[in-house]
Amino acid sequence: MLQTTGQDRTRRGPGPARQGRPSVVVGRALVLAVLLAQLLDPDLVARAAPVLAMAGIVLGVPHGAVDHMVPFWTGGQRPTARALGGVLAGYLATAVVAAVALVVAPTPTVAVFLLVSAVHFGRAEAVVSASDAGRPVPGLLQDVPTTLAHGLAVVGLPLVLWPAGSAQVLGHLAPAWGSPLPVPARVAIALVLAAAVLVAGTGALRDGRRAEAAELAMVVVLFAVVPPLAAFGVWFAGWHALRHTARLLDLLRGGPSAPGTARAAGRFARHAAVPTLASLAAVLVLAGPASSPAAVGAALAVVLALTFPHVRTVTALDRWAARRG
Ligand SMILES: CC1=C(/C=C/C(C)=C/C=C/C(C)=C/C=O)C(C)(C)CCC1
Ligand SMILES: [Fe+2]
């Protein structure tokens, strides 16, 4: 019952546009809504930022909560207790190494976390856009401008344009990150981001991928004008997590136009339930029920530990999808 090896969206040719996909529509609508709120009542958005960040983290966690099943869904191997135990042990070991690294060497660990996150977020956009449009899934070194543009917009813009607010949160992970980045580093990030946005945006427009160019513009504007915790909360749950979940549901039901969404969602929820609860319990223990920048920092420590095995899983999924594409 668990060994679906469904065909990924990579398999179909230029098929139904992604425009109507709920995961895409909801993400765009949420980003536009928070941009509108920022325009109408910036104080409200600023006050709501820690709550939005906590809500975003809580709602975004389940997108990685079936990571332990992904190797079986792509590999066709039956998830026997032994095989599942092996995958889980590898996953947890990676998370524990990351958590220990955070305690032992917080400054470089946060730097690596930010870099890995930028690549993960950017790659997710490059991969999902390509497969939604029926293009082959790009390899790790392909469509680099799109990866850089999206990844640096999400992770870099807060550091560049919102240095104090970002430092306030990241300082809870590593004291050295509690001071804003030095100006030369901020300028360097801004220049790379600007070049990547220019190349990725004009490339998309030249190829007639207007929606992708517009989405990039939306993400850049979101992280440029909305306080980082609010922007990140909305984007993480409403954009990144939703799109990844939609991709996994396609995988489970054997393609984007295959029937059985409800059944696939049920299976997803069944497999995600225990890991989600365990992660959220860890967030609650570390962060407490409050929604302050300190609580967000504590919740981020859990996210950091889980990010490394999550990224390993998604990288393997991308490689599998690229081979099939
Ligand atoms: C830079 C920066 C942030 C970065 C958060 C990151 C990088 C989260 C990564 C999560 C991942 C990779 C989840 C898995 O899918 C904050 C704290 C939001 C706001 C302050 C500045
Ligand atoms: Fe992710």
Side-chain angles (χ1 to χ4, degrees), residues 66-117:
V66 295
D67 280 352
H68 59 296
M69 296 306 298
V70 170
F72 300 105
W73 293 344
T74 54
Q77 188 198 357
R78 272 194 78 78
T80 57
R82 196 187 156 83
L84 195 56
V87 172
L88 274 175
Y91 199 90
L92 291 178
T94 311
V96 167
V97 168
V100 170
L102 181 64
V103 174
V104 175
T107 309
T109 302
V110 169
V112 173
F113 165 61
L114 294 176
L115 264 175
V116 167
S117 299

Side-chain angles (χ1 to χ4, degrees), residues 277-301:
L277 289 177
S279 317
L280 295 184
V283 168
L284 207 69
V285 167
L286 273 177
S291 287
S292 60
V296 174
L300 263 186

Side-chain angles (χ1 to χ4, degrees), residues 18-32 215 218 238-239 242-243:
R18 64 193 301 211
Q19 314 299 335
R21 290 183 73 88
S23 54
V24 168
V25 173
V26 170
R28 289 177 185 167
L30 284 171
V31 167
L32 290 177
E215 284 193 340
M218 278 171 68
W239 192 292
L242 260 188
R243 286 173 185 216

